[in-house]
Amino acid sequence: MLVLLTVALAVALRFVPKLRGYQFTAWIVAVVALGMVYPAQVLHVNGFDMRNKWVMLIAIQLVMFGMGTQMRLHDFAGVIKSPRGVLVGIVCHFSVMPLVGLALTKIFHFEPEIAAGVILIGSCSSGLASNVMAFMARSNLALSVTVTAVTTMLAPIMTPLWMKLLAGTMVEVSFFKMMIEIVKIVLVPISAALLHDYLKHAAPRGRKIVLSITVFAAVWLGFLACGGWDFLKSHVGENTLTVIGLAGFLLSAFLIGEIYHALAKRISWLDGIMPTMAIVGILYVTAMTTASGRDNLLKVGALLFVASVLHNSAGYFFGYFLSRWSGLDKNSARSIAFEVGLQNGGMASGLASAMGKLGSVGLAAAIFIPWMNISGSILANYWRKRPPAK
């Protein structure tokens, strides 16, 4: 009955214009209810483990690719147009949230792996939710989009760095391995999406260069798939093999971007459904996380929710007032507040899955995702009705 009611609510919100913005949050609540009530059925379908590492990887990459299709190479031009605003956003984002996360783990005395998850969600880049909220609030959208793009590209360095420094005693953290995981689950799909954006307006010479790299990528990946990987495993060291594997993932971005661009030119509605596919991916990951960590959620779910509310609120508070203290105008400060307070929950879930700790380290992300959408929507509507005086 609980599952049916939450699903019915999610469907019904589509037909109420004023509440339609909360539909995604309602679907998150529905899949959380499903994972809590029927964990075994969610985790295993006809004997197949739905947490299979390749299925999880593809789901997270789908989320990131959907996010990437809403980004533009032009977004990075904002670094030149508003360097101070971007710098303030980056510094606030990669300082406030990790440190507040650490403070909350000390206050609530969470178990080590759950505490590491709180720090992890605070150490990730900002997500597209911040751009949506900035748009709804009519704040500085260009600054919001630029900070999201830049923090995403910095995540392979900053996220494992903070995890190593703050959570290294809670769980085993390998800086290099986590960096590679972020490259795989974040940079590869987003780079593929940005390549698609580049090809829309590329000059003939640029297209030829991309095509040449794509052909090489196809040949190299074909070689690895047809026995080349096994050959390399027996002839090179582990570190060299890791670098080769990483290079293969990076080359796959060209192949994926080129194939998607060719499809998008022939299927006009393809770009339009990618955000929906990203939402489906988030729902899938949330369901797996909830079902895997059901027992832990029953023990610490209430405290973890309170911690998520405080974490998110601290991001809004410090993001806004530190921006104002730095001399940014109110509209820009509002955008930075969203950038700091709204984290990339999909990235956190993907990293938790890669660590093999989806049911513990991944729990903070499962709680944070629905709450940040609720709080972000409320704050965006509040600011929308109170524009700064010109």
Side-chain angles (χ1 to χ4, degrees), residues 95-105 107 118 307 310-312 314-315 318:
S95 60
V96 170
M97 295 303 274
L99 295 175
V100 170
L102 177 64
L104 289 171
T105 63
I107 293 171
V118 176
L310 293 175
H311 204 176
N312 176 233
F318 287 110

Side-chain angles (χ1 to χ4, degrees), residues 63 65 67 95 104 179-180 224 228 237 242 250 268 289 309 319 339 356:
V63 172
F65 186 79
M67 172 179 167
S95 60
L104 289 171
M179 182 179 71
I180 290 175
L224 293 180
T242 301
L250 292 173
S268 58
T289 305
V309 172
E339 289 302 311

Side-chain angles (χ1 to χ4, degrees), residues 175-194:
F175 179 92
F176 188 59
K177 286 183 179 179
M178 184 170 284
M179 182 179 71
I180 290 175
E181 289 300 327
I182 295 174
V183 170
K184 289 196 295 188
I185 68 177
V186 179
L187 286 194
V188 168
I190 287 182
S191 297
L194 290 176

Side-chain angles (χ1 to χ4, degrees), residues 28-193:
I28 289 283
V29 173
V31 298
V32 167
L34 181 66
M36 292 295 289
V37 177
Y38 299 109
Q41 290 81 355
V42 169
L43 295 176
H44 297 91
V45 177
N46 292 329
F48 180 77
D49 188 351
M50 297 298 290
R51 293 166 297 178
N52 179 279
K53 66 175 185 178
W54 288 107
V55 176
M56 290 293 296
L57 176 62
I58 292 171
I60 295 295
Q61 286 182 325
L62 180 63
V63 172
M64 296 303 157
F65 186 79
M67 172 179 167
T69 58
Q70 305 307 299
M71 298 170 68
R72 300 290 179 266
L73 287 170
H74 179 71
D75 296 341
F76 294 91
V79 177
I80 300 173
K81 295 178 181 178
S82 181
R84 184 173 62 169
V86 175
L87 181 61
V88 169
I90 294 170
V91 171
C92 288
H93 184 87
F94 283 122
S95 60
V96 170
M97 295 303 274
L99 295 175
V100 170
L102 177 64
L104 289 171
T105 63
K106 302 298 184 183
I107 293 171
F108 290 99
H109 303 289
F110 291 124
E111 293 178 7
E113 291 189 356
I114 294 175
V118 176
I119 295 172
L120 176 60
I121 190 69
S123 302
C124 289
S125 64
S126 51
L128 273 185
S130 60
N131 305 154
V132 174
M133 302 311 171
F135 174 77
M136 289 173 59
R138 293 177 180 170
S139 61
N140 190 337
L141 180 60
L143 176 61
S144 175
V145 171
T146 303
V147 173
T148 296
V150 175
T151 56
T152 299
M153 295 305 169
L154 289 175
I157 301 297
M158 297 306 299
T159 301
L161 175 63
W162 276 121
M163 283 296 291
K164 186 68 175 177
L165 292 175
L166 304 183
T169 59
M170 301 173 186
V171 292
E172 183 181 352
V173 177
S174 169
F175 179 92
F176 188 59
K177 286 183 179 179
M178 184 170 284
M179 182 179 71
I180 290 175
E181 289 300 327
I182 295 174
V183 170
K184 289 196 295 188
I185 68 177
V186 179
L187 286 194
V188 168
I190 287 182
S191 297

Side-chain angles (χ1 to χ4, degrees), residues 97 100 104 108 110 117-118 121 300-316 341 363-372 375:
M97 295 303 274
V100 170
L104 289 171
F108 290 99
F110 291 124
V118 176
I121 190 69
V300 299
L303 283 179
L304 200 53
F305 175 74
V306 173
S308 295
V309 172
L310 293 175
H311 204 176
N312 176 233
S313 301
Y316 294 146
L363 287 185
I367 299 292
F368 200 96
I369 290 172
W371 171 249
M372 74 176 181
S375 66

